[in-house]
Amino acid sequence: MSLFSRLFDVIGETAATAFSGVVEAVRTVFAGDPETRRRVAFSVAVIALSAKMAKADGIVAPEEVRAFQEIFTIPEAEANNVARLYNLAKQDVAGYEAYAQRVAGMCGSGESNCAMLEDVLDGLFHIAKADGLVHEKELEFIANVADIFRVDEAHFERILARHVHPDGIDPYAVLGVPESTPFDEVKKRYRTLASESHPDRLRARGVPEEFLTIANDRMAALNDAFATIEKARAAA
């Protein structure tokens, strides 16, 4: 049985109650299977953050719902169950800190700049910009989640550069290097980030298959940034 099928079996009995009841039910039902419980808990927490983030600007736009569906590839037969969970979580923004803490705790106590948590932030940005604009309230929401995730300022600025660029994309900011960086070091940095963003790396750190769509977006941003720098250096 798939991850979502098992998750939805639980939700079917609890989705009419508070969302916290769903989380508690997941913990109980999967108590004997720690790895599956970890993946299910990750999915539930991310669904909650996604729904509450979409509500942060006061309106859950259809584009944001579709963006969520792009991140979580959902079998048609299970779509109604996802909708029930998502709609339950999106009623308001309250309580999102608790779900952010749950996800953060999966990276170990006190760990900063955890790669899995960067995956989550990329997913939230993907949803936030789906309606054409990252609203100030949405950015504030994501920044607060990043603080809970212990993502430092420089690391968050690099993530931000991939998604929000009102003055045009800064390829150096995307790669997180100064413009004065020698090209060999730029290439080394690009290769490191590209390796960390490979879907196999995401699987290895426990990200559910349904969440791997973000790897393609991140790789595209890294590839474009490096290509832009390489072209500019060649023409100089």
Side-chain angles (χ1 to χ4, degrees):
M1 182 180 293
S2 73
L3 170 71
F4 275 109
S5 293
R6 295 183 70 180
L7 172 60
F8 298 150
D9 281 347
V10 177
I11 294 171
E13 298 179 0
T14 62
T17 64
F19 197 90
S20 59
V22 177
V23 176
E24 192 60 37
V26 169
R27 181 186 303 169
T28 301
V29 170
F30 295 99
D33 187 349
E35 180 58 28
T36 299
R37 183 180 61 192
R38 184 175 185 272
R39 296 180 65 206
V40 171
F42 179 98
S43 297
V44 169
V46 170
I47 289 169
L49 287 176
S50 299
K52 291 178 181 297
M53 195 281 304
K55 185 69 173 179
D57 62 356
I59 300 174
V60 181
E63 294 87 352
E64 292 173 323
V65 177
R66 284 195 292 272
F68 167 77
Q69 293 169 339
E70 290 171 4
I71 293 175
F72 278 90
T73 305
I74 304 160
E76 185 176 351
E78 297 178 329
N80 287 339
N81 288 315
V82 172
R84 291 172 65 187
L85 175 59
Y86 189 87
N87 288 335
L88 187 66
K90 78 176 186 183
Q91 297 304 312
D92 55 43
V93 182
Y96 76 88
E97 296 92 345
Y99 299 109
Q101 291 284 5
R102 287 182 184 276
V103 179
M106 297 173 67
C107 269
S109 177
E111 181 176 344
S112 61
N113 297 329
C114 171
M116 185 181 72
L117 302 183
E118 182 174 354
D119 301 333
V120 176
L121 294 174
D122 269 336
L124 295 179
F125 270 118
H126 181 83
I127 294 169
K129 65 186 181 183
D131 57 358
L133 174 69
V134 178
H135 191 278
E136 181 180 355
K137 291 293 185 181
E138 293 173 325
L139 183 56
E140 180 181 348
F141 180 100
I142 297 174
N144 286 340
V145 171
D147 283 342
I148 294 171
F149 284 178
R150 297 178 62 84
V151 174
D152 65 41
E153 184 176 353
H155 198 89
F156 183 71
E157 288 297 323
R158 180 165 60 81
I159 298 171
L160 182 66
R162 292 200 295 265
H163 301 282
V164 181
H165 29 73
D167 299 322
I169 298 175
D170 181 346
Y172 292 97
V174 170
L175 297 182
V177 295
E179 191 170 347
S180 59
T181 304
F183 185 70
D184 285 347
E185 293 184 22
V186 172
K187 182 185 294 187
K188 181 178 179 180
R189 174 66 167 169
Y190 161 71
R191 289 176 174 173
T192 297
L193 294 175
S195 175
E196 292 172 352
S197 301
H198 192 281
D200 287 345
R201 287 290 188 94
L202 271 70
R203 292 187 185 95
R205 54 186 179 247
V207 176
E209 292 287 335
E210 294 84 358
F211 204 66
L212 296 180
T213 301
I214 61 169
N216 295 327
D217 290 345
R218 187 187 302 169
M219 281 302 304
L222 295 174
N223 290 340
D224 289 346
F226 179 72
T228 298
I229 295 172
E230 185 176 38
K231 183 178 179 179
R233 295 292 180 95

